[in-house]
Each structure stands twice: as structure tokens, then as C-alpha cells.
Amino acid sequence: MRAIIIILSAALIFLGMAGTAPAQQGSSNTTPQALQKELDRLLILYTDAHPDVQILKKRLKRVKAQKEIAERLKNGEITPAQADQALAEEEESTPPKSYLVVPKKALPSPGQ
């Protein structure tokens, strides 16, 4: 099944029909499931070092944290001030990184 997905993705890229940018901040695909699906699609095309992959991983982590904090706030486990602090700490815990962009298709095959 994964081989079929890879072949179809390669065909779409060849034909110029597949975009590579992750879902943007204002789009409706902000559920963890939608973001994970998009991340899985990008990982077929790129390595973990690709900026789009890194951005989407960070966004997925943030959305999951926000969902957890909202649930805890709803259940009365934390106050709104504690929720704000937890969100601020989550942002601080993911420092910016520099990346080397290497598309998977550019990597040499084993044995070459």
C-alpha cells in the first residue's frame, strides 16, 4: 500500500499537481488528525530535515498542547491564567533551528 502511495505521489509531483506547503495557519485543517495526515504526506516526499516537515511537526505539537490545555481548563483542573502560562511555556520550549534541506529524491540509492 505504501508503495502505491509513493508512486501516486511521484506521479502527481511529476505532473505538477501536488503542493508541498503545509496547511497554513488560517486554514480549516487545524485538527491534530488533519495535521498528522498532511505530515504523513510530506514525509513521503521529504526527509525530517525539510523545513515544511519541521514547521508542520511544530504546529502539530502546538495544536495537541492547546487541545490538552483547553480540556484541562474545561474540566476545571487549571485556571485561565495557568492556561495562558502553559501556552507561553510551550512556545518557549521549542527554540528555532537551522535546517539543511535535502529532498528524498536527491539522496543516492544504497550501494551507489
Side-chain angles (χ1 to χ4, degrees), residues 21-43 52-67:
Q24 296 300 315
Q25 194 78 3
S27 75
S28 62
N29 294 332
T30 57
T31 65
Q33 297 84 3
L35 293 173
Q36 184 64 53
K37 185 176 179 180
E38 178 67 8
L39 179 60
D40 292 342
R41 184 187 73 79
L42 288 179
L43 286 171
D52 289 349
V53 171
Q54 293 296 318
I55 290 167
L56 202 50
K57 281 184 174 184
K58 183 177 178 181
R59 185 161 176 227
L60 179 59
K61 181 180 176 185
R62 186 180 325 118
V63 167
K64 285 180 178 180
Q66 289 171 346
K67 186 176 179 180

Side-chain angles (χ1 to χ4, degrees), residues 2 4 9 11 13 17 20 23 26 28-29 31 36-37 50 59-60 62 71-73 79 85 89 92 94 96 98:
R2 186 166 170 91
I4 292 171
S9 296
I13 290 170
M17 296 178 177
T20 59
S28 62
N29 294 332
T31 65
Q36 184 64 53
K37 185 176 179 180
H50 193 279
R59 185 161 176 227
L60 179 59
R62 186 180 325 118
E71 190 66 30
R72 291 181 66 204
L73 184 62
T79 66
Q85 183 176 354
E89 289 171 359
E92 291 173 6
T94 53
S98 59

Side-chain angles (χ1 to χ4, degrees), residues 74-106:
K74 179 181 171 185
N75 293 337
E77 297 172 22
I78 58 174
T79 66
Q82 290 170 322
D84 289 341
Q85 183 176 354
L87 289 172
E89 289 171 359
E90 174 62 32
E91 283 295 318
E92 291 173 6
S93 70
T94 53
K97 299 179 181 176
S98 59
Y99 305 104
L100 172 62
V101 180
V102 182
K104 284 185 179 179
K105 61 186 175 187

